[in-house]
């Protein structure tokens, strides 16, 4: 079919070049995501003569900014696989998913993720990669300290005390530094029965009583007694904590699938359980999704849609998931992974995804709220600081961000 399609602005040649900008999930040149995308693009081109896919892969540090700058210059790519879609959807720069994908492809997304890709009940963001978070613990350090995996906050504190008594450097690593503090914060808010937004999702509720109670507990019961290690949580970035876990210096922390592989390769025996709640399992775990979107500017709707139908075939979704220990975003690929013995280590993450809670990515205010959390939340557990006042400051930033929409 695509052999007969003509391109907008292609000079009448009948050839179309799709420009794709994607994030790099690899940790080095040897496992860069460009290899994956080049393979997918070449396979697509073989069955779709006249369509070429130009792939550009950038680091996560740069990709969102680069795409924003391209859009500002009126040089939007046809496709972008990045961290957020809401600003572009609000500005009417994206195709809605109904106009892009075949019905089977669109219906195959996990419902939670499809809904998270909506703005005003229209889906613009297509989930591309997902993960959930669990409490990781070092099994050897736990055995040495004589403690069991915690199910409640009280048990978590007790385990941290026992680990500290055994000389563990970070009994519980609490990374509230700027790198990804919004994730660590959300996990604890959910653990305490709260969250970033109210139960109906209609507004931010960052300084709620439940959230204040959570951070007061963290400060009083973990940080002040020295159970979070030698680096102040507000100065501890996620990667620092993950590296320390892989070195065997951390008893417990909140982790995702990629850390599991890294730690096990380093010889750490990793245990995984849901993050404890006040008196039992937390009401929900945190889910994370990255997004694919298609820009209108170049007019390549049909070609982009055909490529995306190809990208979301099980073989390609599972290939990417295998490479980076990422959870699939489609029902059929998730089922296939769950039934595959080689993915046994991801079973708990897969089980947690359908009922997980995601960032409010459909809100254009979220980017500013997230920045405020990254900048300020570490102060909530610092000495001589009142957690409630810090949460009130972030809540005010959230209200200001919503008012500016």
């Amino acid at each position: 079919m695509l052999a007969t399609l003509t391109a907008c602005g292609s000079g009448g040649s009948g050839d179309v070049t799709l420009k794709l900008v994607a994030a790099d999930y690899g940790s080095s040149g040897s496992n860069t995501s460009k290899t994956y995308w080049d393979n997918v693009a070449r396979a697509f081109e073989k069955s779709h003569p006249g369509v070429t896919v130009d792939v550009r892969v950038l680091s996560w540090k740069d990709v969102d900014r680069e795409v924003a700058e391209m859009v500002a210059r009126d040089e939007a790519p046809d496709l972008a696989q990045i961290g957020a879609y809401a600003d572009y959807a609000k500005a009417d720069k994206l195709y809605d998913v109904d106009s892009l994908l075949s019905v089977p492809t669109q219906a195959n997304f996990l419902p939670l993720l499809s809904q998270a890709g909506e703005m005003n009940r229209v889906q613009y963001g297509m989930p591309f990669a997902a993960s959930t978070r669990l409490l990781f613990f070092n099994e050897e350090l736990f055995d040495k300290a004589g403690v069991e995996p915690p199910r409640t906050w009280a048990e978590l504190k007790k385990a941290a005390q026992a680990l500290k008594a055994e000389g563990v450097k970070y009994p519980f690593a609490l990374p509230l530094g700027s790198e990804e503090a919004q994730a660590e914060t959300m996990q604890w808010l959910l653990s305490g029965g709260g969250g970033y937004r109210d139960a109906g999702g209609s507004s931010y509720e960052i300084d709620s009583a439940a959230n204040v109670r959570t951070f007061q507990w963290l400060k009083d019961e973990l940080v002040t007694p020295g159970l979070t290690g030698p680096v102040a949580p507000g100065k501890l970035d996620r990667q620092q904590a993950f590296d320390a876990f892989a070195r065997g210096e951390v008893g417990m922390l909140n982790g995702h699938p990629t850390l599991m592989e890294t730690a096990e390769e380093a010889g750490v025996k990793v245990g995984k359980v849901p993050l404890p709640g006040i008196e039992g399992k937390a009401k929900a775990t945190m889910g994370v999704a990255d997004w694919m979107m298609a820009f209108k500017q170049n007019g390549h709707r049909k070609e982009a849609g055909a490529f995306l139908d190809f990208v979301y075939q099980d073989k390609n979704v599972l290939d990417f998931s295998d490479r980076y220990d990422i959870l699939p975003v489609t029902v059929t690929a998730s089922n296939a992974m769950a039934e595959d013995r080689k993915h046994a280590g991801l079973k708990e993450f897969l089980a947690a995804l359908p009922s997980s809670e995601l960032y409010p990515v459909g809100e254009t205010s979220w980017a500013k709220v997230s920045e405020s959390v990254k900048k300020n939340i570490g102060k909530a557990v610092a000495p001589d600081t009142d957690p409630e006042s810090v949460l009130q400051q972030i809540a005010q930033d959230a209200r200001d961000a919503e008012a500016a929409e």
Side-chain angles (χ1 to χ4, degrees):
M1 177 186 72
L2 284 182
T4 65
L5 292 173
T6 57
C8 296
S10 63
S13 67
D15 291 336
V16 172
T17 297
L18 292 175
K19 294 183 178 180
L20 165 69
V21 177
D24 196 348
Y25 289 75
S27 57
S28 66
S30 63
N31 68 344
T32 175
S33 298
K34 192 170 192 313
T35 301
Y36 168 82
W37 281 114
D38 283 343
N39 290 341
V40 170
R42 302 296 84 80
F44 173 79
E45 290 165 356
K46 285 182 180 178
S47 57
H48 296 77
V51 182
T52 301
V53 182
D54 177 26
V55 176
R56 185 182 179 198
V57 172
L58 300 170
S59 74
W60 269 113
K61 285 199 307 185
D62 300 323
V63 67
D64 290 291
R65 173 180 51 79
E66 287 279 350
V67 169
E69 290 175 357
M70 293 171 72
V71 173
R73 296 194 304 265
D74 290 327
E75 298 174 359
D78 296 287
L79 297 161
Q81 186 272 298
I82 52 178
Y85 66 85
D87 285 342
Y88 302 121
K90 184 181 180 182
D92 195 29
K93 294 184 179 296
L94 302 179
Y95 288 116
D96 63 82
V97 175
D98 282 345
S99 68
L100 282 167
L101 300 181
S102 66
V103 171
T105 299
Q106 186 176 0
N108 198 25
F109 289 130
L110 292 167
L112 171 81
L113 302 180
S114 286
Q115 186 176 2
E118 294 178 359
M119 175 177 284
N120 298 324
R121 299 190 178 184
V122 177
Q123 186 178 356
Y124 297 96
M126 291 158 279
F128 179 74
S131 68
T132 52
R133 302 293 194 263
L134 295 173
L135 178 69
F136 283 26
F137 62 95
N138 184 313
E139 291 185 350
E140 291 183 350
L141 294 181
F142 263 58
D143 289 344
K144 186 177 179 182
V147 290
E148 297 293 325
R151 295 165 296 177
T152 66
W153 283 3
E155 290 179 2
L156 188 148
K157 178 183 177 182
K158 182 178 179 181
Q161 290 172 324
L163 290 163
K164 182 179 180 181
E166 289 293 330
V168 175
K169 189 172 182 179
Y170 295 89
F172 188 98
L174 184 66
L176 295 176
S178 61
E179 181 188 352
E180 206 188 32
Q182 81 281 5
E184 187 73 18
T185 298
M186 183 170 174
Q187 291 167 86
W188 279 103
L189 297 184
L190 293 173
S191 172
Y196 282 123
R197 294 178 71 81
D198 61 24
S202 59
S203 63
Y204 290 101
E205 201 174 53
I206 294 170
D207 56 349
S208 68
N211 293 345
V212 170
R213 176 184 59 193
T214 294
F215 269 84
Q216 193 69 57
W217 186 87
L218 283 172
K219 178 179 179 178
D220 294 345
E221 306 299 329
L222 289 186
V223 179
T224 300
L227 300 178
T228 54
V231 180
K235 297 184 180 298
L236 183 67
D237 281 339
R238 181 191 66 168
Q239 194 59 52
Q240 290 175 273
F242 282 11
D243 290 345
F245 186 80
R247 292 194 300 267
E249 298 173 353
V250 174
M252 297 174 279
L253 52 57
N254 292 318
H256 57 55
T258 303
L259 173 61
M260 178 183 67
E261 180 185 28
T262 301
E264 289 176 347
E265 287 178 353
V268 175
K269 292 184 178 180
V270 182
K272 305 180 293 294
V273 293
L275 181 63
I278 299 173
E279 296 180 350
K281 183 179 176 182
K283 71 169 187 176
T285 188
M286 187 186 79
V288 177
D290 301 322
W291 300 96
M292 177 72 77
M293 61 214 68
F295 286 88
K296 294 179 178 180
Q297 181 178 325
N298 301 320
H300 296 157
R301 179 182 61 82
K302 292 183 179 180
E303 296 87 348
F307 179 65
L308 290 169
D309 277 337
F310 184 81
V311 166
Y312 285 107
Q313 291 179 8
D314 281 358
K315 64 180 181 181
N316 294 322
V317 173
L318 287 168
D319 182 15
F320 190 85
S321 299
D322 283 343
R323 288 170 185 257
Y324 302 110
D325 281 325
I326 293 291
L327 302 184
V329 296
T330 63
V331 174
T332 52
S334 294
N335 290 341
M337 179 175 278
E339 294 168 2
D340 190 338
R341 281 182 156 185
K342 74 177 181 179
H343 295 299
L346 294 175
K347 187 175 180 179
E348 296 99 327
F349 296 101
L350 283 166
L353 183 58
S355 61
S356 64
E357 188 167 321
L358 281 71
Y359 299 134
V361 290
E363 306 292 334
T364 55
S365 57
W366 169 241
K368 292 181 180 178
V369 175
S370 176
E371 283 304 311
S372 180
V373 173
K374 292 178 184 179
K375 178 181 177 182
N376 296 303
I377 198 63
K379 303 172 190 174
V381 295
D384 303 321
T385 303
D386 175 25
E388 184 172 14
S389 66
V390 176
L391 292 176
Q392 287 173 340
Q393 178 184 354
I394 298 171
Q396 184 60 54
D397 290 342
R399 288 190 288 270
D400 292 344
E402 283 195 304
E405 289 186 351

